[in-house]
PDB file of all heavy atoms in Angstrom:
ATOM      1  N   ASN A   1     151.364 157.312  95.225  1.00  0.00           N
ATOM      2  CA  ASN A   1     150.917 158.257  94.200  1.00  0.00           C
ATOM      3  C   ASN A   1     149.911 157.623  93.247  1.00  0.00           C
ATOM      4  O   ASN A   1     148.912 158.236  92.874  1.00  0.00           O
ATOM      5  CB  ASN A   1     152.125 158.777  93.407  1.00  0.00           C
ATOM      6  CG  ASN A   1     152.710 160.038  94.017  1.00  0.00           C
ATOM      7  OD1 ASN A   1     152.229 160.505  95.044  1.00  0.00           O
ATOM      8  ND2 ASN A   1     153.745 160.575  93.406  1.00  0.00           N
ATOM      9  N   LEU A   2     150.196 156.387  92.833  1.00  0.00           N
ATOM     10  CA  LEU A   2     149.288 155.707  91.913  1.00  0.00           C
ATOM     11  C   LEU A   2     147.937 155.448  92.561  1.00  0.00           C
ATOM     12  O   LEU A   2     146.887 155.575  91.914  1.00  0.00           O
ATOM     13  CB  LEU A   2     149.906 154.390  91.437  1.00  0.00           C
ATOM     14  CG  LEU A   2     151.118 154.515  90.501  1.00  0.00           C
ATOM     15  CD1 LEU A   2     151.698 153.148  90.198  1.00  0.00           C
ATOM     16  CD2 LEU A   2     150.723 155.225  89.208  1.00  0.00           C
ATOM     17  N   LEU A   3     147.970 155.094  93.848  1.00  0.00           N
ATOM     18  CA  LEU A   3     146.722 154.798  94.539  1.00  0.00           C
ATOM     19  C   LEU A   3     145.878 156.050  94.746  1.00  0.00           C
ATOM     20  O   LEU A   3     144.673 156.065  94.465  1.00  0.00           O
ATOM     21  CB  LEU A   3     147.024 154.136  95.884  1.00  0.00           C
ATOM     22  CG  LEU A   3     145.804 153.806  96.758  1.00  0.00           C
ATOM     23  CD1 LEU A   3     144.920 152.784  96.048  1.00  0.00           C
ATOM     24  CD2 LEU A   3     146.235 153.292  98.126  1.00  0.00           C
ATOM     25  N   ILE A   4     146.522 157.109  95.239  1.00  0.00           N
ATOM     26  CA  ILE A   4     145.766 158.323  95.576  1.00  0.00           C
ATOM     27  C   ILE A   4     145.486 159.173  94.343  1.00  0.00           C
ATOM     28  O   ILE A   4     144.341 159.532  94.056  1.00  0.00           O
ATOM     29  CB  ILE A   4     146.524 159.148  96.632  1.00  0.00           C
ATOM     30  CG1 ILE A   4     146.656 158.355  97.936  1.00  0.00           C
ATOM     31  CG2 ILE A   4     145.805 160.473  96.888  1.00  0.00           C
ATOM     32  CD1 ILE A   4     147.462 159.050  99.009  1.00  0.00           C
ATOM     33  N   TYR A   5     146.539 159.499  93.581  1.00  0.00           N
ATOM     34  CA  TYR A   5     146.384 160.443  92.476  1.00  0.00           C
ATOM     35  C   TYR A   5     146.075 159.749  91.150  1.00  0.00           C
ATOM     36  O   TYR A   5     145.422 160.335  90.281  1.00  0.00           O
ATOM     37  CB  TYR A   5     147.629 161.320  92.370  1.00  0.00           C
ATOM     38  CG  TYR A   5     147.845 162.113  93.626  1.00  0.00           C
ATOM     39  CD1 TYR A   5     148.758 161.697  94.593  1.00  0.00           C
ATOM     40  CD2 TYR A   5     147.097 163.257  93.877  1.00  0.00           C
ATOM     41  CE1 TYR A   5     148.933 162.405  95.772  1.00  0.00           C
ATOM     42  CE2 TYR A   5     147.258 163.981  95.047  1.00  0.00           C
ATOM     43  CZ  TYR A   5     148.177 163.548  95.997  1.00  0.00           C
ATOM     44  OH  TYR A   5     148.332 164.248  97.164  1.00  0.00           O
ATOM     45  N   GLY A   6     146.533 158.513  90.973  1.00  0.00           N
ATOM     46  CA  GLY A   6     146.173 157.778  89.770  1.00  0.00           C
ATOM     47  C   GLY A   6     144.725 157.346  89.814  1.00  0.00           C
ATOM     48  O   GLY A   6     143.925 157.661  88.911  1.00  0.00           O
ATOM     49  N   LEU A   7     144.341 156.653  90.888  1.00  0.00           N
ATOM     50  CA  LEU A   7     142.957 156.227  91.038  1.00  0.00           C
ATOM     51  C   LEU A   7     142.028 157.428  91.191  1.00  0.00           C
ATOM     52  O   LEU A   7     140.929 157.473  90.621  1.00  0.00           O
ATOM     53  CB  LEU A   7     142.832 155.294  92.246  1.00  0.00           C
ATOM     54  CG  LEU A   7     141.449 154.686  92.499  1.00  0.00           C
ATOM     55  CD1 LEU A   7     141.003 153.872  91.297  1.00  0.00           C
ATOM     56  CD2 LEU A   7     141.469 153.825  93.761  1.00  0.00           C
ATOM     57  N   GLY A   8     142.501 158.420  91.952  1.00  0.00           N
ATOM     58  CA  GLY A   8     141.689 159.636  92.115  1.00  0.00           C
ATOM     59  C   GLY A   8     141.468 160.351  90.799  1.00  0.00           C
ATOM     60  O   GLY A   8     140.381 160.886  90.537  1.00  0.00           O
ATOM     61  N   GLY A   9     142.508 160.374  89.949  1.00  0.00           N
ATOM     62  CA  GLY A   9     142.372 161.008  88.642  1.00  0.00           C
ATOM     63  C   GLY A   9     141.399 160.288  87.737  1.00  0.00           C
ATOM     64  O   GLY A   9     140.779 160.906  86.859  1.00  0.00           O
ATOM     65  N   LEU A  10     141.255 158.972  87.929  1.00  0.00           N
ATOM     66  CA  LEU A  10     140.284 158.216  87.148  1.00  0.00           C
ATOM     67  C   LEU A  10     138.859 158.431  87.638  1.00  0.00           C
ATOM     68  O   LEU A  10     137.922 158.570  86.845  1.00  0.00           O
ATOM     69  CB  LEU A  10     140.621 156.719  87.206  1.00  0.00           C
ATOM     70  CG  LEU A  10     141.772 156.225  86.326  1.00  0.00           C
ATOM     71  CD1 LEU A  10     142.103 154.784  86.653  1.00  0.00           C
ATOM     72  CD2 LEU A  10     141.413 156.373  84.846  1.00  0.00           C
ATOM     73  N   VAL A  11     138.697 158.460  88.939  1.00  0.00           N
ATOM     74  CA  VAL A  11     137.355 158.533  89.526  1.00  0.00           C
ATOM     75  C   VAL A  11     136.769 159.943  89.453  1.00  0.00           C
ATOM     76  O   VAL A  11     135.575 160.122  89.165  1.00  0.00           O
ATOM     77  CB  VAL A  11     137.390 158.047  90.989  1.00  0.00           C
ATOM     78  CG1 VAL A  11     136.043 158.275  91.670  1.00  0.00           C
ATOM     79  CG2 VAL A  11     137.781 156.576  91.051  1.00  0.00           C
ATOM     80  N   ALA A  12     137.598 160.968  89.707  1.00  0.00           N
ATOM     81  CA  ALA A  12     137.100 162.345  89.793  1.00  0.00           C
ATOM     82  C   ALA A  12     136.312 162.783  88.562  1.00  0.00           C
ATOM     83  O   ALA A  12     135.226 163.381  88.702  1.00  0.00           O
ATOM     84  CB  ALA A  12     138.258 163.304  90.063  1.00  0.00           C
ATOM     85  N   PRO A  13     136.778 162.517  87.321  1.00  0.00           N
ATOM     86  CA  PRO A  13     135.993 162.961  86.161  1.00  0.00           C
ATOM     87  C   PRO A  13     134.624 162.288  86.064  1.00  0.00           C
ATOM     88  O   PRO A  13     133.653 162.933  85.645  1.00  0.00           O
ATOM     89  CB  PRO A  13     136.882 162.571  84.970  1.00  0.00           C
ATOM     90  CG  PRO A  13     138.248 162.491  85.527  1.00  0.00           C
ATOM     91  CD  PRO A  13     138.075 161.963  86.906  1.00  0.00           C
ATOM     92  N   PHE A  14     134.555 161.012  86.432  1.00  0.00           N
ATOM     93  CA  PHE A  14     133.263 160.334  86.375  1.00  0.00           C
ATOM     94  C   PHE A  14     132.244 161.027  87.282  1.00  0.00           C
ATOM     95  O   PHE A  14     131.095 161.255  86.894  1.00  0.00           O
ATOM     96  CB  PHE A  14     133.408 158.860  86.773  1.00  0.00           C
ATOM     97  CG  PHE A  14     134.047 158.009  85.714  1.00  0.00           C
ATOM     98  CD1 PHE A  14     135.395 157.733  85.749  1.00  0.00           C
ATOM     99  CD2 PHE A  14     133.292 157.499  84.668  1.00  0.00           C
ATOM    100  CE1 PHE A  14     135.983 156.957  84.769  1.00  0.00           C
ATOM    101  CE2 PHE A  14     133.871 156.718  83.680  1.00  0.00           C
ATOM    102  CZ  PHE A  14     135.229 156.445  83.725  1.00  0.00           C
ATOM    103  N   VAL A  15     132.688 161.370  88.481  1.00  0.00           N
ATOM    104  CA  VAL A  15     131.789 162.042  89.422  1.00  0.00           C
ATOM    105  C   VAL A  15     131.511 163.468  88.971  1.00  0.00           C
ATOM    106  O   VAL A  15     130.353 163.917  88.918  1.00  0.00           O
ATOM    107  CB  VAL A  15     132.394 162.031  90.842  1.00  0.00           C
ATOM    108  CG1 VAL A  15     131.500 162.793  91.809  1.00  0.00           C
ATOM    109  CG2 VAL A  15     132.602 160.597  91.321  1.00  0.00           C
ATOM    110  N   GLY A  16     132.600 164.203  88.647  1.00  0.00           N
ATOM    111  CA  GLY A  16     132.450 165.609  88.302  1.00  0.00           C
ATOM    112  C   GLY A  16     131.649 165.834  87.040  1.00  0.00           C
ATOM    113  O   GLY A  16     130.747 166.698  86.996  1.00  0.00           O
ATOM    114  N   ILE A  17     131.958 165.079  85.975  1.00  0.00           N
ATOM    115  CA  ILE A  17     131.247 165.262  84.704  1.00  0.00           C
ATOM    116  C   ILE A  17     129.765 164.920  84.854  1.00  0.00           C
ATOM    117  O   ILE A  17     128.887 165.597  84.305  1.00  0.00           O
ATOM    118  CB  ILE A  17     131.913 164.416  83.598  1.00  0.00           C
ATOM    119  CG1 ILE A  17     133.293 165.001  83.267  1.00  0.00           C
ATOM    120  CG2 ILE A  17     131.046 164.372  82.341  1.00  0.00           C
ATOM    121  CD1 ILE A  17     134.098 164.186  82.280  1.00  0.00           C
ATOM    122  N   LYS A  18     129.473 163.861  85.621  1.00  0.00           N
ATOM    123  CA  LYS A  18     128.066 163.492  85.829  1.00  0.00           C
ATOM    124  C   LYS A  18     127.300 164.596  86.567  1.00  0.00           C
ATOM    125  O   LYS A  18     126.168 164.948  86.190  1.00  0.00           O
ATOM    126  CB  LYS A  18     127.994 162.183  86.631  1.00  0.00           C
ATOM    127  CG  LYS A  18     126.570 161.722  86.917  1.00  0.00           C
ATOM    128  CD  LYS A  18     125.779 161.491  85.630  1.00  0.00           C
ATOM    129  CE  LYS A  18     124.363 161.017  85.919  1.00  0.00           C
ATOM    130  NZ  LYS A  18     123.552 160.862  84.680  1.00  0.00           N
ATOM    131  N   LEU A  19     127.913 165.172  87.597  1.00  0.00           N
ATOM    132  CA  LEU A  19     127.237 166.243  88.342  1.00  0.00           C
ATOM    133  C   LEU A  19     127.013 167.467  87.460  1.00  0.00           C
ATOM    134  O   LEU A  19     125.953 168.108  87.511  1.00  0.00           O
ATOM    135  CB  LEU A  19     128.070 166.620  89.572  1.00  0.00           C
ATOM    136  CG  LEU A  19     128.143 165.568  90.687  1.00  0.00           C
ATOM    137  CD1 LEU A  19     129.092 166.032  91.791  1.00  0.00           C
ATOM    138  CD2 LEU A  19     126.753 165.283  91.267  1.00  0.00           C
ATOM    139  N   ILE A  20     128.007 167.806  86.643  1.00  0.00           N
ATOM    140  CA  ILE A  20     127.863 168.953  85.737  1.00  0.00           C
ATOM    141  C   ILE A  20     126.780 168.667  84.707  1.00  0.00           C
ATOM    142  O   ILE A  20     125.972 169.549  84.351  1.00  0.00           O
ATOM    143  CB  ILE A  20     129.208 169.269  85.058  1.00  0.00           C
ATOM    144  CG1 ILE A  20     130.239 169.726  86.103  1.00  0.00           C
ATOM    145  CG2 ILE A  20     129.037 170.342  83.991  1.00  0.00           C
ATOM    146  CD1 ILE A  20     131.641 169.866  85.568  1.00  0.00           C
ATOM    147  N   ASP A  21     126.737 167.428  84.208  1.00  0.00           N
ATOM    148  CA  ASP A  21     125.711 167.039  83.238  1.00  0.00           C
ATOM    149  C   ASP A  21     124.306 167.206  83.832  1.00  0.00           C
ATOM    150  O   ASP A  21     123.386 167.704  83.158  1.00  0.00           O
ATOM    151  CB  ASP A  21     125.933 165.589  82.814  1.00  0.00           C
ATOM    152  CG  ASP A  21     124.817 165.057  81.936  1.00  0.00           C
ATOM    153  OD1 ASP A  21     124.741 165.474  80.756  1.00  0.00           O
ATOM    154  OD2 ASP A  21     124.008 164.241  82.440  1.00  0.00           O
ATOM    155  N   LEU A  22     124.135 166.803  85.086  1.00  0.00           N
ATOM    156  CA  LEU A  22     122.839 166.966  85.744  1.00  0.00           C
ATOM    157  C   LEU A  22     122.457 168.441  85.855  1.00  0.00           C
ATOM    158  O   LEU A  22     121.289 168.815  85.643  1.00  0.00           O
ATOM    159  CB  LEU A  22     122.874 166.317  87.129  1.00  0.00           C
ATOM    160  CG  LEU A  22     122.988 164.780  87.162  1.00  0.00           C
ATOM    161  CD1 LEU A  22     123.165 164.293  88.600  1.00  0.00           C
ATOM    162  CD2 LEU A  22     121.745 164.140  86.523  1.00  0.00           C
ATOM    163  N   ALA A  23     123.477 169.272  86.175  1.00  0.00           N
ATOM    164  CA  ALA A  23     123.206 170.711  86.294  1.00  0.00           C
ATOM    165  C   ALA A  23     122.851 171.313  84.940  1.00  0.00           C
ATOM    166  O   ALA A  23     121.909 172.128  84.827  1.00  0.00           O
ATOM    167  CB  ALA A  23     124.426 171.415  86.887  1.00  0.00           C
ATOM    168  N   ILE A  24     123.580 170.926  83.901  1.00  0.00           N
ATOM    169  CA  ILE A  24     123.321 171.458  82.557  1.00  0.00           C
ATOM    170  C   ILE A  24     121.932 171.050  82.073  1.00  0.00           C
ATOM    171  O   ILE A  24     121.164 171.857  81.525  1.00  0.00           O
ATOM    172  CB  ILE A  24     124.403 170.963  81.571  1.00  0.00           C
ATOM    173  CG1 ILE A  24     125.728 171.664  81.866  1.00  0.00           C
ATOM    174  CG2 ILE A  24     123.988 171.214  80.127  1.00  0.00           C
ATOM    175  CD1 ILE A  24     126.880 171.142  81.034  1.00  0.00           C
ATOM    176  N   SER A  25     121.595 169.790  82.278  1.00  0.00           N
ATOM    177  CA  SER A  25     120.279 169.296  81.852  1.00  0.00           C
ATOM    178  C   SER A  25     119.163 169.991  82.621  1.00  0.00           C
ATOM    179  O   SER A  25     118.127 170.374  82.054  1.00  0.00           O
ATOM    180  CB  SER A  25     120.194 167.783  82.056  1.00  0.00           C
ATOM    181  OG  SER A  25     121.194 167.118  81.315  1.00  0.00           O
ATOM    182  N   GLY A  26     119.385 170.158  83.922  1.00  0.00           N
ATOM    183  CA  GLY A  26     118.365 170.807  84.742  1.00  0.00           C
ATOM    184  C   GLY A  26     118.138 172.251  84.366  1.00  0.00           C
ATOM    185  O   GLY A  26     117.016 172.758  84.438  1.00  0.00           O
ATOM    186  N   LEU A  27     119.206 172.930  83.929  1.00  0.00           N
ATOM    187  CA  LEU A  27     119.095 174.342  83.545  1.00  0.00           C
ATOM    188  C   LEU A  27     118.745 174.512  82.075  1.00  0.00           C
ATOM    189  O   LEU A  27     118.532 175.641  81.612  1.00  0.00           O
ATOM    190  CB  LEU A  27     120.420 175.062  83.843  1.00  0.00           C
ATOM    191  CG  LEU A  27     120.813 175.157  85.325  1.00  0.00           C
ATOM    192  CD1 LEU A  27     122.223 175.727  85.468  1.00  0.00           C
ATOM    193  CD2 LEU A  27     119.811 176.025  86.081  1.00  0.00           C
ATOM    194  N   GLY A  28     118.729 173.401  81.343  1.00  0.00           N
ATOM    195  CA  GLY A  28     118.385 173.467  79.921  1.00  0.00           C
ATOM    196  C   GLY A  28     119.436 174.156  79.076  1.00  0.00           C
ATOM    197  O   GLY A  28     119.112 174.816  78.079  1.00  0.00           O
ATOM    198  N   LEU A  29     120.718 174.017  79.462  1.00  0.00           N
ATOM    199  CA  LEU A  29     121.794 174.677  78.723  1.00  0.00           C
ATOM    200  C   LEU A  29     122.251 173.885  77.510  1.00  0.00           C
ATOM    201  O   LEU A  29     122.978 174.404  76.662  1.00  0.00           O
ATOM    202  CB  LEU A  29     122.985 174.917  79.665  1.00  0.00           C
ATOM    203  CG  LEU A  29     122.711 175.836  80.859  1.00  0.00           C
ATOM    204  CD1 LEU A  29     123.943 175.937  81.744  1.00  0.00           C
ATOM    205  CD2 LEU A  29     122.292 177.219  80.368  1.00  0.00           C
TER     206      LEU A  29
END
């Protein structure tokens, strides 16, 4: 659980927030 969901929980926001940030910046929101 710690390996899959603990590490996954740490990594997912870094990837997800960065992608959303790129979309927001590109759309000028």
Side-chain angles (χ1 to χ4, degrees):
N1 269 1
L2 291 175
L3 178 63
I4 297 176
Y5 299 99
L7 183 59
L10 283 172
V11 173
F14 285 96
V15 177
I17 291 175
K18 179 59 179 177
L19 291 175
I20 295 172
D21 173 72
L22 292 174
I24 288 174
S25 301
L27 295 173
L29 298 177

